[in-house]
Amino acid sequence: MKKILVTGGCGYIGAHTIVDLIENGFDVISADNNSRSNENILDAVEKITGKAVKNYKVDLCIYDDTVAIFQENPGIAGIIHFAAYKAVGESVEKPLLYFENNLNSLINILKCADEFLVPNFVFSSSCTVYGNPDAIPVTEETPMKPAESAYGATKQMGEKIVGDAMNASKNKAILLRYFNPVGAHPSALMGELPIGKPQNLVPAITQTAIGKLPGMKVWGNDYDTRDGSCVRDYIHVCDIAHAHTLALNYLMQNKKQTNCDVFNLGTGDGLTVLEIINEFEKVSGEKLNYEIGPRRPGDVVAIYANNDKAKNQLGWQLKYNLQDMMATAWNWELKLKEDEKFFKSPNAGLN
Ligand code: WQD
């Protein structure tokens, strides 16, 4: 079986992608220093797939430690590079942390790909590279506006770094621009595990609904949108995950001569924050405790994808709708509470 290195493999999208890769016949190893992830998510991967996945607990900003992974695993057929910090708000407050972490780790992994002749590279990019677009939906040809956050800037620079590295080598890459990944694996065995207070909308909603958070804020309802709150393209994490498997196969079958191609991964539907809250309340039956707060620095007003290219060239077909996104996110939050109750109860493990 072809061996794939997934960096950030203990992360939300990384772990869901590992499940999809294994289910499609790949052998997978992970590299994740767990600074913002939990290695036990790989236990869930094993429960779902029956396969144990080794994680190299390595800071990819340290070149020698990164090289050691490749020395121990000759013949890696492809790399999917997720490892990066990704909170838009935090990146506005701590830009240097984001530039140092996201770019140094990328450069090291690309140097190893070159040195160890790994021919296929998939880069975790983001719709934030578009900044505040003049026209929506955005296609892959939509010009990039100045990034609204350091996080978005690291993705813009990351795409340039990957493209130039591919031009200077015989390797090939695909850049996948995620819109807003949400939801959880349908088994409810794994999902998003924000460290600390959730920055992203859907975990903030589910943690508020389950009572982990006393309430949540809608960051601004005075934008020029249909209800004043920001518009995003929310997409199920399992649909995002499967696109990575398709991208690797696309590279391995040498379907395209360009050595660095880019694809939007969104549903093509733009929904507001308040519409998402409304959909969650309908699906969960819970009334959400939220209030309108100030705008969040770094937020893009409205963006959603034109996803024709991924559908036509990668053969990508969406499996999950908005109700699935809300239901799987809520089921996961309920499961987390159950597990916590189980582990806290005095007779845990007796039954
Ligand atoms: C969405 C909307 C917030 C929390 C994300 C990822 C980023 C990238 C792009 C992949 C915004 C509002 C949020 C809250 C709120 N993904 N919100 N109250 O900023 O679009 O970025 O997608 O690469 O990594 O972070 O997502 O979920 O943070 O915000 O009102 O408590 O929800 O203001 O309008 P964002 P998000």
Side-chain angles (χ1 to χ4, degrees):
M1 283 190 288
K2 292 189 185 303
K3 182 176 277 189
I4 304 297
L5 167 63
V6 174
T7 74
C10 296
Y12 171 47
I13 307 174
H16 283 83
T17 299
I18 289 177
V19 167
D20 197 273
L21 289 168
I22 292 171
E23 288 176 344
N24 285 276
F26 288 100
D27 178 26
V28 182
I29 55 172
S30 164
D32 193 317
N33 66 359
N34 300 132
S35 63
R36 298 204 172 181
S37 62
N38 208 316
E39 204 169 52
N40 64 20
I41 199 166
L42 297 181
D43 299 338
V45 169
E46 186 170 1
K47 279 195 194 125
I48 294 167
T49 64
K51 288 279 178 68
V53 174
K54 178 177 175 57
N55 178 53
Y56 289 83
K57 203 170 178 122
V58 163
D59 180 349
L60 299 176
C61 292
I62 302 168
Y63 181 68
D64 291 347
D65 293 352
T66 307
V67 166
I69 301 169
F70 291 83
Q71 288 166 335
E72 195 176 308
N73 295 278
I76 289 174
I79 297 167
I80 302 182
H81 182 57
F82 290 103
Y85 295 156
K86 61 113 183 166
V88 170
E90 180 190 42
S91 78
V92 174
E93 291 157 20
K94 303 175 184 169
L96 295 181
L97 175 71
Y98 273 68
F99 289 119
E100 179 181 50
N101 181 69
N102 291 8
L103 300 183
N104 286 345
S105 52
L106 171 62
I107 290 165
N108 282 343
I109 209 78
L110 282 169
K111 284 163 74 175
C112 289
D114 223 13
E115 189 182 332
F116 292 88
L117 307 176
V118 179
N120 303 296
F121 192 86
V122 178
F123 178 62
S124 165
S125 189
S126 163
C127 60
T128 40
V129 301
Y130 295 109
N132 258 312
D134 292 333
I136 46 179
V138 292
T139 70
E140 289 81 357
E141 284 65 51
T142 298
M144 290 186 188
K145 302 294 286 297
E148 294 292 323
S149 64
Y151 165 77
T154 66
K155 292 302 182 183
Q156 287 180 338
M157 294 174 195
E159 290 196 1
K160 169 72 175 150
I161 291 167
V162 173
D164 286 2
M166 294 305 129
N167 286 337
S169 75
K170 295 184 186 56
N171 300 334
K172 287 179 182 290
I174 279 182
L175 314 171
L176 296 178
R177 291 176 181 164
Y178 315 151
F179 283 70
N180 286 55
V182 296
H185 192 269
S187 65
L189 288 172
M190 64 193 231
E192 201 163 359
L193 275 172
I195 308 271
K197 192 167 182 296
Q199 302 286 310
N200 293 130
L201 178 62
V202 172
I205 290 173
T206 57
Q207 287 197 15
T208 298
I210 202 107
K212 264 187 195 164
L213 294 173
M216 65 167 282
K217 292 256 188 348
V218 171
W219 301 123
N221 71 341
D222 58 350
Y223 288 99
D224 181 16
T225 64
R226 51 182 176 268
D227 62 19
S229 62
C230 291
V231 174
R232 294 288 185 276
D233 184 331
Y234 296 91
I235 177 158
H236 198 282
V237 65
C238 291
D239 279 329
I240 292 268
H242 188 56
H244 290 76
T245 303
L246 294 172
L248 270 180
N249 288 328
Y250 184 88
L251 286 169
M252 290 176 177
Q253 290 151 18
N254 269 315
K255 283 194 176 167
K256 201 75 185 280
Q257 292 323 312
T258 51
N259 53 13
C260 187
D261 215 343
V262 58
F263 295 91
N264 281 340
L265 296 185
T267 62
D269 298 325
L271 292 171
T272 71
V273 174
L274 292 169
E275 287 166 344
I276 291 292
I277 289 175
N278 181 42
E279 188 60 37
F280 173 80
E281 290 181 329
K282 271 196 296 188
V283 166
S284 66
E286 301 287 330
K287 188 84 189 80
L288 195 70
N289 177 26
Y290 70 92
E291 57 188 37
I292 304 298
R295 293 184 174 192
R296 181 174 72 173
D299 265 343
V300 162
V301 181
I303 188 164
Y304 60 95
N306 172 314
N307 61 9
D308 292 344
K309 188 179 174 188
K311 287 197 287 192
N312 299 335
Q313 293 188 26
L314 296 181
W316 188 48
Q317 289 171 352
L318 294 173
K319 270 182 67 181
Y320 299 87
N321 62 28
L322 182 62
Q323 290 69 29
D324 299 325
M325 294 178 215
M326 297 299 109
T328 53
W330 183 229
N331 289 341
W332 167 241
E333 195 66 68
L334 290 167
K335 182 77 170 40
L336 277 178
K337 187 176 177 84
E338 187 190 302
D339 281 357
E340 281 166 6
K341 202 166 62 190
F342 174 76
F343 287 119
K344 277 191 188 133
S345 73
N347 62 355
L350 295 183
N351 41 7

